[in-house]
């Protein structure tokens, strides 16, 4: 009889993921114009500061991953909530540009402590054999973070300064997320103690030791290329559409993109139980550049833009799932936190530099050529995941069901 996913843990993490992504990520674009005004910066410099913060946050991810394995993901997330609240307060009270950037860097480090990478590690540590299903359920709930926090941030900012909005968000991290994460950490510690007298619960990876280094490299390349395309396109969505003669459709694209992410996660939860993570990763890696290709071929068609948003959103929704489930399938649950830290570092570094690279390319070689290069780079992710499948077939591996 198969184990049941820890529903209470998933629901608790779903709440903290919505708050974590909403307060530390999605709110920034809405508050950025007033941040720039108060700091006497252009909007470009504010987003450049965010890119630096994301880059430095990415560099800290491997160390954070090791901390998850050593101390437990629950305690790391508890500390992350406290650090996030403190950093939001520091950002609100920053006396100048230097203090603001320093606080923003700490916010991005804290984000790595409380968002998907840490939450996935907690689910693996709580119940390795149900973790793949648990991650799917969690991403379905957390997929509503932008839908919830974009209007909440806008509403708050209509009555409060950006500094006071950040103080409200600090309160959410301190008074809601921190107690929830502490509760999860205590529960995980009790479960670990209870299992000490029995055999250690471990999920074995399906790649043999001799091919794991190459498999890991291919996986990181695939994930990084997907992150490159996603980050570049999403940050520049409006100017890209304008450059293709579709500026007026930006709002329509936004209404299609968000629900399509949730749709892909829900469809996978209901119908994709028999699809292994490697197959899902390959599908996602085809959908993301496929959506960009649709935009290139159909612009300036409004129908084409909507098709782009749908396909791109479906791929993006699946991508967030496989970043948690594929490492577990390929390499197992032992040392999962350290593995996630390395993967997060590569993805975040690429995500931080991709928007600038695409902006530079658009200015110097044009929108169509830039998008074509982006789509081709994204397509190489398909090659990376197919190569992992080829490795599985060629080399001896541990026998394990791909869908738990």
């Amino acid at each position: 009889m198969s184990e049941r996913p820890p529903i209470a843990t998933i629901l608790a993490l779903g709440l903290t993921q919505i708050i974590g992504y909403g307060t530390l990520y999605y709110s920034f674009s809405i508050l950025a114009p007033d941040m720039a005004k108060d700091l006497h910066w252009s909007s470009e410099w504010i987003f450049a500061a965010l890119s630096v913060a994301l880059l430095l946050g990415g560099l800290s991810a491997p160390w954070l991953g090791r901390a998850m394995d050593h101390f437990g993901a629950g305690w790391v997330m508890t500390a992350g909530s406290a650090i996030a609240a403190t950093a939001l307060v520091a950002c609100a009270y920053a006396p100048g540009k230097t203090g603001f950037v320093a606080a923003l860097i700490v916010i991005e480090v804290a984000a790595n402590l409380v968002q998907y990478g840490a939450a996935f590690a907690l689910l693996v540590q709580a119940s390795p054999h149900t973790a793949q299903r648990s991650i799917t359920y969690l991403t379905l709930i957390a997929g509503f973070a932008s839908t919830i926090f974009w209007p909440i941030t806008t509403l708050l900012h209509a009555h409060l300064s950006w500094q006071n909005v950040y103080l409200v968000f600090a309160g959410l991290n301190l008074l809601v997320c921190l107690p929830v994460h502490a509760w999860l950490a205590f529960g995980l510690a009790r479960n670990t103690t209870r299992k000490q007298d029995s055999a250690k619960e471990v999920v074995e990876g399906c790649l043999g030791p001799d091919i794991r280094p190459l498999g890991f490299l291919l996986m990181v390349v695939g994930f990084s290329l997907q992150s490159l395309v996603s980050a570049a396109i999403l940050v520049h969505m409006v100017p890209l559409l304008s450059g293709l003669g579709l500026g007026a459709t930006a709002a329509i694209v936004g209404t299609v993109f968000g629900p399509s992410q949730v749709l892909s996660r829900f469809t996978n939860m209901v119908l994709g139980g028999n699809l292994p993570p490697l197959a899902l990763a390959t599908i996602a890696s085809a959908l993301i550049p496929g959506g960009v290709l649709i935009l290139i071929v159909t612009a300036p068609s409004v129908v084409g833009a909507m098709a782009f948003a749908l396909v791109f959103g479906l791929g993006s929704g699946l991508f967030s799932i496989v970043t948690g489930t594929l490492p577990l399938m390929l390499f197992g649950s032992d040392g999962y936190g350290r593995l996630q830290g390395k993967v997060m570092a590569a993805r975040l570094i690429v995500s931080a530099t991709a928007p600038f690279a695409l902006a530079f390319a658009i200015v110097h070689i044009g929108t169509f050529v830039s998008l074509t290069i982006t789509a081709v780079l994204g397509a190489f992710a398909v090659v990376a995941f197919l190569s992992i499948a080829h490795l599985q077939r060629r080399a001896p591996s541990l026998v394990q069901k791909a869908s738990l």
Side-chain angles (χ1 to χ4, degrees):
M1 185 172 64
S2 62
E3 298 179 51
R4 295 182 61 185
I7 299 301
T9 299
I10 294 168
L11 292 175
L13 281 176
L15 172 63
T16 66
Q17 290 302 286
I18 288 173
I19 294 174
Y21 274 98
T23 60
L24 304 177
Y25 182 72
Y26 288 115
S27 64
F28 188 86
S29 62
I30 295 172
L31 303 176
D34 274 4
M35 291 175 175
K37 188 185 302 181
D38 285 353
L39 292 168
H40 306 292
W41 264 353
S42 66
S43 293
E44 289 79 5
W45 276 108
I46 282 290
F47 282 100
L50 177 63
S51 293
V52 170
L54 286 168
L55 180 63
L56 295 177
L59 293 175
S60 71
W63 177 82
L64 300 177
R66 290 193 294 272
M68 291 176 211
D69 283 337
H70 183 74
F71 299 106
W75 294 118
V76 169
M77 295 185 80
T78 304
S81 294
I83 295 170
T86 303
L88 286 167
V89 172
C91 205
Y93 285 110
K97 297 173 182 177
T98 302
F100 175 85
V101 173
L104 196 60
I105 291 169
V106 179
I107 286 175
E108 293 309 323
V109 172
N112 293 334
L113 293 170
V114 299
Q115 291 176 350
Y116 272 157
F120 293 163
L122 190 147
L123 290 173
V124 170
Q125 291 171 2
S127 179
H129 290 287
T130 63
Q132 289 190 18
R133 277 181 290 160
S134 299
I135 288 170
T136 300
Y137 300 155
L138 177 62
T139 57
L140 178 65
I141 299 170
F144 292 98
S146 61
T147 306
I148 293 171
F149 263 86
W150 274 335
I152 285 178
T153 305
T154 302
L155 180 63
L156 286 173
H157 196 35
H159 299 90
L160 302 172
S161 65
W162 71 265
Q163 291 94 336
N164 286 331
V165 172
Y166 261 16
L167 293 179
V168 172
F169 288 168
L172 287 176
N173 280 276
L174 188 64
L175 301 177
V176 178
C177 295
L178 190 149
V180 170
H181 290 153
W183 171 70
L184 292 172
F186 275 117
L188 192 58
R190 284 198 302 271
N191 288 340
T192 302
T193 302
R194 194 179 302 125
K195 292 173 182 175
Q196 280 180 345
D197 296 330
S198 61
K200 186 180 180 183
E201 188 180 6
V202 172
V203 169
E204 298 289 352
C206 66
L207 290 184
D210 54 330
I211 58 172
R212 285 193 172 196
L214 180 56
F216 180 75
L217 177 62
L218 289 169
M219 183 185 72
V220 169
V221 168
F223 282 164
S224 297
L225 289 171
Q226 286 179 293
S227 294
L228 182 149
V229 178
S230 295
I233 297 297
L234 290 175
V235 170
H236 293 290
M237 183 78 77
V238 174
L240 278 175
L241 293 176
S242 299
L244 296 171
L246 287 159
T249 67
I252 299 175
V253 169
T255 60
V256 174
F257 175 76
S260 67
Q261 288 192 94
V262 176
L263 175 63
S264 68
R265 294 166 186 169
F266 181 76
T267 302
N268 177 65
M269 182 182 73
V270 175
L271 303 175
N274 294 323
L275 277 177
L278 187 54
L280 288 176
T282 307
I283 293 169
S285 63
L287 288 172
I288 290 175
V292 179
L293 183 61
I294 290 172
L295 186 62
I296 295 169
V297 172
T298 62
S301 165
V302 175
V303 174
M306 293 178 68
F308 147 73
L310 176 63
V311 173
F312 194 84
L314 290 172
S316 180
L318 290 178
F319 176 48
S320 62
I321 296 173
V322 297
T323 55
T325 59
L326 185 59
L328 179 62
M329 171 198 164
L330 296 178
F331 306 103
S333 59
D334 191 29
Y336 180 86
R338 175 180 52 82
L339 200 69
Q340 270 291 347
K342 292 180 179 179
V343 173
M344 282 195 308
R347 289 181 52 221
L348 289 170
I349 290 169
V350 170
S351 297
T353 55
F356 171 77
L358 182 59
F360 183 85
I362 289 173
V363 170
H364 290 86
I365 60 178
T367 302
F368 273 102
V369 177
S370 299
L371 283 178
T372 301
I373 293 172
T374 303
V376 170
L377 288 173
F380 278 110
V382 180
V383 177
F385 294 126
L386 289 176
S387 298
I388 295 174
H390 181 64
L391 275 180
Q392 277 187 279
R393 289 191 298 268
R394 277 189 59 194
S397 63
L398 297 171
V399 178
Q400 176 191 331
K401 288 184 179 180
S403 180
L404 301 176

